[in-house]
Amino acid sequence: DTEVTQTPKHLVMGMTNKKSLKCEQHMGHRAMYWYKQKAKKPPELMFVYSYEKLSINESVPSRFSPECPNSSLLNLHLHALQPEDSALYLCASSQDENLRGSPLHFGNGTRLTVT
Amino acid sequence: GQNIDQPTEMTATEGAIVQINCTYQTSGFNGLFWYQQHAGEAPTFLSYNVLDGLEEKGRFSSFLSRSKGYSYLLLKELQMKDSASYLCALNDYKLSFGAGTTVTVRA
């Protein structure tokens, strides 16, 4: 069982839709992450939040909008996506951004299909 | 950049030992992680090396040599459930993953 919970597990959306991915952790971790993973590829970092503030944005297109309402929650708002955005979106958390206290703990991901 | 290299695929027999190498080029980093990822699932943490040397955790061991730019993950007494992708990742204030090595365990 993963201690990082992501919803939904699967999402199919059209290019004009607006949807949100949700992530929750109750381990007291102060850093939270969004990764994108295409088939047979490693996870690619998208965003890092540290103490609820956006710390890293890896030049992600504005159609992806992250939000950290509190230290336990992380959202990824999606709007006007393209078919090539179809991927597994992984949320992760760690004790701190430096990863010295603990490793990344990943959620099971949301499998996103853009039609 | 880190230029992290891993073999793409490896095949081994149940009960055998397999060593997955990871080489990198970087000027400095905090440590090196190994993760296991089964198809369609999230990566799970296996080991973290900060200092040079061997870290042993049951059937899995990980080794790091900073001077040689090299790490390996050793899987002993292979089981069918060890069939998965194994990712090495450098902790350079953000995690950079290698492309992963797909290990297939055959009976």
Side-chain angles (χ1 to χ4, degrees), chain A residues 11-19 78-82 112-115:
Chain A
L11 178 63
V12 180
M13 61 185 290
M15 290 187 284
T16 58
N17 291 159
K18 284 185 182 181
K19 297 286 184 182
L78 314 173
H79 174 54
L81 294 193
Q82 304 296 311
L112 175 67
T113 304
V114 182
T115 60

Side-chain angles (χ1 to χ4, degrees), chain A residues 100-114:
Chain A
R100 289 174 178 166
S102 75
L104 281 184
H105 294 258
F106 285 91
N108 282 330
T110 294
R111 177 76 58 190
L112 175 67
T113 304
V114 182

Side-chain angles (χ1 to χ4, degrees), chain A residues 32-67:
Chain A
M32 296 187 75
Y33 309 74
W34 281 114
Y35 280 83
K36 172 183 177 180
Q37 187 175 27
K38 303 282 267 185
K40 298 189 185 299
K41 297 289 187 182
E44 296 177 16
L45 182 64
M46 299 175 73
F47 302 103
V48 180
Y49 272 83
S50 180
Y51 290 86
E52 301 165 46
K53 292 191 187 318
L54 184 63
S55 172
I56 295 176
N57 176 343
E58 289 286 285
S59 302
V60 179
S62 60
R63 58 186 184 269
F64 295 91
S65 175
E67 178 197 18

Side-chain angles (χ1 to χ4, degrees), chain A residues 82-93:
Chain A
Q82 304 296 311
E84 59 264 30
D85 296 322
S86 298
L88 181 68
Y89 288 84
L90 292 163
C91 174
S93 70

